[in-house]
Amino acid sequence: MKHEKTLDTQAIPLIKRAQEQGITTAWERYEKQLPQCGYGQLGICCTLCALGPCRIDPFGESPQRGVCGADRDTIVARNLLQMLAAGAAAHSDHGREVVEVAFKTAQGKAEKYKITDSEKLKRVAKEYGIKLEDKKEADLLKELCISMMEEFGTIKEELQFLKRAPKKRLEIWQNLDVIPRGIDREIVEAMHRVHMGVDNHYTSILLHGIRTAIADGWGGSMIATEMSDILFGTPSIKETEVGLSTLKEDEVNIVLHGHNPVLSEQIVMAAEDKEILELAKQKGANGINIVGMCCTGNEILMRQGIPIAGNMLNQELAIITGAVEAMVVDYQCIFPSLSEIAKCFHTKIITTSEKAKFNGAIHYQFHPENAYEVAKQIVKVAVENFPNRKKDRVLIPDRPQRLMAGFSVETILSALGGSVKPIVEAITSGKIKGAVGIVGCNNPKIKHDYGHITLAKELIKRDVLVVVTGCSAIACAKEGLLTPEAASLAGDGLRSVIEALKIPPVLHMGSCVDCSRILVLLAAIANEIGVDISDLPVAGAAPEWYSQKAVSIGSYFVASGVFTVLGVAPRIFGSKKVTELLAEKLEEVLKAKFAVEPDPVKAAALIMDHINSKRKSLGI
Ligand code: XCC
Ligand code: SF4
């Protein structure tokens, strides 16, 4: 079965159904936007202040300046920084929320939460210079939370986790004066700089973008990952299923969508509550089926082995199956269209975060103190909604796909016998040519999942180990690339390595904030060889990115020394200077740069050239 919009065979019948029933999805809404504004695409439209909106003539005619006098370079750079700041803020605010839940846990105010990985707690506390002595775990957690909260403010001069970066990378950051001082501070300063009449030099604006992105990757996101591991457990290998077919005909289906694991973990527990299971039976259901969506889905997949229904462009389709009793959302990447689509079915859209409310949704306010109660209420709402499901309107696609996930750095290291040495040896011997992180979203500008899957296949075929996060991981999972059997698609060298370890050629490392795990892994490999990350035969790619968070992720990859290829053009081409800086000049200072290549086959070729040249420089 082929389709022009998606590679996901399970999505096809639902896209068709939507068209037949006159339900609009992101694809049609995108088409209705065409042609998208040319000024906007080039980044030369400025709406920052009320002297505007202003735009620059792309062909050099008049006007060449906004009312305030800003030129195209300033406007493009400021727009980009504003996007990046929103992305860094989203990741970091999520991180802060996890720390807040941990803090309440340490104080005994959030009784349903507990410390799950106490070894990691000790390890991270030590990194923060906290004396372990014979402190109680709760006290240790409290001290760690306070230290992490300080990272957000202005007390410190540099973030703790930057020390995880190779020495050479730290020196590069120091010389360029882009060491982040505090996570919130850099984000606020970014917003200050984009105010009319503040930072008007594109280089200065973009360098602060680099600083803010580092504060996300080595700060807010890393804190989110580490603290989630401490509270909910560090992921280990899990096998389960992926696709819209994970929804069940005879059970209450609850989809958990968004990014933060703090409530979803409780919902997973609440769905096992005897009283509620009994109620489900009374309502005629054979059980309660929890499935994930996007990165909340990735979080509970990585830690609890919960099946995952799909990625970003699957969210509307899940409702269109007619089989979802409740879609529970926290924040980020949740289409405002969901409550409209839900009106055509019996599905209830349940919002849970004070900062992410939706028209037409029911709101259940989550607090760490009452999390389990709220979780139980939500599950109950879903169960009670089961009899409203119209059986003749249910369309659940068949053939779920198996997958293996849970590859935290800890799990990868333990699979390798405790150190990165075996990877380094495999890379040195040439069995593995290099490693590439494929990350990021879906975007209707690119055929759904095509960018991720094609790039991953092209790379593993050429003996490149691929690691994935976010919606990219889910795309690859749907194609079966996250199974050990996918070794048959790998080149001989890579195949020999992964077959011995019984792991897939594409390793699922987690959610979007878990791109920080990729940084930790890269740093470990670089430190083992005694080089910088930029010396390694590695690259990053975001073939179908859309979000502001992806701008931040791409930027901290490049800031960390990783050549990064984007599949969707960023809105910078209205400024030659900004484009040159990001695609060329950054290399001189950061030893890494961006490239844009919408065709994943060509992107693979670009990446291979890069990997081969790095191998040559290393003399391997
Ligand atoms: Fe969102 Fe994280 Fe992008 Fe997917 S990948 S569309 S950001 S859910 Ni991070
Ligand atoms: Fe126009 Fe300058 Fe205001 Fe932007 S900041 S809208 S370019 S006047």
Side-chain angles (χ1 to χ4, degrees):
M1 228 184 338
K2 282 213 168 119
H3 196 270
E4 88 264 12
K5 291 190 169 73
T6 185
L7 267 198
D8 178 349
T9 50
Q10 297 189 21
I12 297 170
L14 293 153
I15 295 176
K16 280 201 184 133
R17 162 182 262 201
Q19 284 163 341
E20 283 159 17
Q21 305 192 348
I23 301 170
T24 39
T25 58
W27 286 284
E28 284 88 44
R29 291 192 300 271
Y30 170 61
E31 275 161 23
K32 287 200 181 122
Q33 286 292 334
L34 293 177
Q36 286 183 312
C37 168
Y39 295 101
Q41 276 177 323
L42 294 174
I44 48 179
C45 163
C46 182
T47 61
L48 289 178
C49 86
L51 299 173
C54 303
R55 66 204 192 292
I56 303 295
D57 183 273
F59 307 108
E61 305 283 318
S62 181
Q64 285 302 304
R65 287 181 184 270
V67 177
C68 67
D71 62 10
R72 57 175 68 225
D73 307 321
T74 302
I75 291 177
V76 167
R78 266 192 326 210
N79 285 341
L80 188 65
L81 178 58
Q82 198 179 23
M83 262 185 111
L84 188 155
H91 282 149
S92 304
D93 199 35
H94 159 175
R96 182 205 343 257
E97 217 170 310
V98 180
V99 175
E100 279 171 355
V101 171
F103 193 52
K104 294 243 162 97
T105 306
Q107 293 169 306
K109 290 183 188 165
E111 47 168 333
K112 285 288 177 180
Y113 294 91
K114 59 178 199 306
I115 297 162
T116 303
D117 191 341
S118 38
E119 207 214 310
K120 188 155 198 169
L121 167 63
K122 288 185 196 129
R123 187 150 41 93
V124 178
K126 237 176 161 173
E127 262 186 276
Y128 270 84
I130 297 167
K131 294 216 167 62
L132 302 187
E133 291 156 355
D134 41 12
K135 282 178 198 153
K136 277 200 226 125
E137 278 185 2
D139 293 334
L140 213 51
L141 180 59
K142 200 157 129 194
E143 277 187 57
L144 178 60
C145 288
I146 293 172
S147 296
M148 282 183 167
M149 285 169 181
E150 280 173 2
E151 303 267 53
F152 286 85
T154 45
I155 296 178
K156 303 176 85 177
E157 276 167 14
E158 112 176 34
L159 303 180
Q160 184 57 42
F161 285 144
L162 299 183
K163 297 210 168 63
R164 291 180 170 185
K167 232 174 148 192
K168 287 186 185 155
R169 190 50 32 187
L170 262 174
E171 279 166 21
I172 289 174
W173 292 339
Q174 268 150 0
N175 292 338
L176 210 54
D177 197 16
V178 291
I179 297 272
R181 298 150 296 181
I183 300 160
D184 284 359
R185 176 184 185 153
E186 305 309 353
I187 295 166
V188 170
E189 190 174 311
M191 296 314 287
H192 183 184
R193 285 177 188 240
V194 301
H195 190 282
M196 197 289 271
V198 184
D199 206 353
N200 289 304
H201 197 290
Y202 72 97
T203 315
S204 164
I205 295 168
L206 294 176
L207 277 179
H208 186 70
I210 294 292
R211 188 190 274 143
T212 309
I214 298 172
D216 173 358
W218 298 85
S221 282
M222 209 171 271
I223 285 175
T225 297
E226 298 295 50
M227 196 47 100
S228 297
D229 283 356
I230 291 170
L231 279 189
F232 308 118
T234 300
S236 56
I237 292 179
K238 297 277 174 321
E239 288 186 69
T240 179
E241 289 176 348
V242 60
L244 291 166
S245 55
T246 55
L247 295 169
K248 291 196 177 144
E249 195 106 35
D250 57 343
E251 294 189 21
V252 175
N253 289 308
I254 304 179
V255 181
L256 303 182
H257 177 20
H259 282 80
N260 200 320
V262 291
L263 178 63
S264 45
E265 287 275 345
Q266 301 282 323
I267 292 181
V268 171
M269 273 202 281
E272 286 162 11
D273 190 291
K274 280 209 182 93
E275 195 188 315
I276 295 187
L277 283 170
E278 186 51 40
L279 183 68
K281 228 190 205 163
Q282 278 170 28
K283 299 284 173 191
N286 277 343
I288 301 173
N289 181 39
I290 305 274
V291 299
M293 173 79 54
C294 287
C295 284
T296 287
N298 281 325
E299 297 276 354
I300 49 179
L301 162 67
M302 293 283 287
R303 297 199 180 86
Q304 314 291 348
I306 301 288
I308 189 154
N311 51 7
M312 198 268 235
L313 279 173
N314 287 119
Q315 58 184 299
E316 296 175 307
L317 305 181
I319 299 176
I320 298 172
T321 62
V324 175
E325 275 58 55
M327 186 174 272
V328 185
V329 305
D330 46 81
Y331 40 54
Q332 299 164 21
C333 305
I334 297 148
F335 282 149
S337 64
L338 293 185
S339 36
E340 272 309 299
I341 294 184
K343 277 189 200 155
C344 310
F345 299 89
H346 73 303
T347 308
K348 297 216 185 300
I349 306 294
I350 302 179
T351 53
T352 57
S353 166
E354 202 260 312
K355 49 198 147 203
K357 295 190 178 163
F358 290 64
N359 239 337
I362 327 173
H363 188 74
Y364 280 92
Q365 183 56 49
F366 158 82
H367 293 292
E369 292 88 348
N370 70 350
Y372 188 67
E373 245 164 81
V374 169
K376 247 172 105 174
Q377 273 172 9
I378 289 173
V379 178
K380 223 167 137 191
V381 168
V383 169
E384 278 168 350
N385 195 22
F386 183 73
N388 298 328
R389 190 195 287 182
K390 299 213 172 47
K391 291 224 167 75
D392 55 336
R393 285 195 77 198
V394 169
L395 178 63
I396 300 176
D398 56 8
R399 282 194 298 264
Q401 171 62 51
R402 301 283 311 163
L403 74 96
M404 184 188 270
F407 291 95
S408 56
V409 176
E410 290 82 350
T411 299
I412 294 176
L413 292 187
S414 88
L416 295 172
S419 93
V420 286
K421 273 199 186 109
I423 300 193
V424 173
E425 279 162 21
I427 292 179
T428 316
S429 72
K431 275 189 184 164
I432 294 180
K433 290 278 177 323
V436 172
I438 309 180
V439 306
C441 327
N442 291 140
N443 187 323
K445 292 176 184 174
I446 307 251
K447 186 174 183 171
H448 179 209
D449 294 346
Y450 172 79
H452 297 299
I453 291 171
T454 312
L455 181 59
K457 281 186 175 168
E458 289 293 320
L459 291 171
I460 59 175
K461 188 165 90 186
R462 295 177 172 86
D463 293 317
V464 172
L465 179 70
V466 171
V467 298
V468 284
T469 61
C471 288
S472 180
I474 306 169
C476 292
K478 286 187 266 180
E479 185 69 7
L481 300 180
L482 305 193
T483 58
E485 293 73 48
S488 62
L489 301 172
D492 291 341
L494 174 62
R495 190 167 63 229
S496 68
V497 176
I498 57 172
E499 272 179 352
L501 296 169
K502 299 193 178 63
I503 58 171
V506 178
L507 303 181
H508 190 341
M509 291 189 76
S511 63
C512 313
V513 292
D514 292 336
C515 288
S516 65
R517 297 192 201 273
I518 300 179
L519 298 178
V520 172
L521 185 62
L522 288 174
I525 296 174
N527 286 336
E528 173 68 34
I529 312 183
V531 296
D532 177 42
I533 294 175
S534 65
D535 298 319
L536 300 176
V538 300
E544 303 177 32
W545 74 277
Y546 92 88
S547 78
Q548 294 112 309
K549 289 178 287 172
V551 175
S552 183
I553 295 174
S555 304
Y556 70 64
F557 268 22
V558 169
S560 304
V562 182
F563 171 59
T564 299
V565 185
L566 306 176
V568 177
R571 300 200 289 252
I572 57 168
F573 293 125
S575 163
K576 225 172 131 189
K577 286 186 186 152
V578 168
T579 308
E580 257 175 27
L581 184 89
L582 297 177
E584 283 168 39
K585 293 209 177 119
L586 268 189
E587 175 97 60
E588 290 163 25
V589 284
L590 285 174
K591 315 248 176 283
K593 61 182 180 185
F594 283 102
V596 177
E597 179 48 69
D599 178 348
V601 177
K602 288 186 188 149
L606 270 182
I607 289 173
M608 288 316 295
D609 284 349
H610 173 78
I611 285 179
N612 288 330
S613 86
K614 291 293 172 183
R615 293 186 64 87
K616 212 166 148 202
S617 312
L618 280 175
I620 55 177

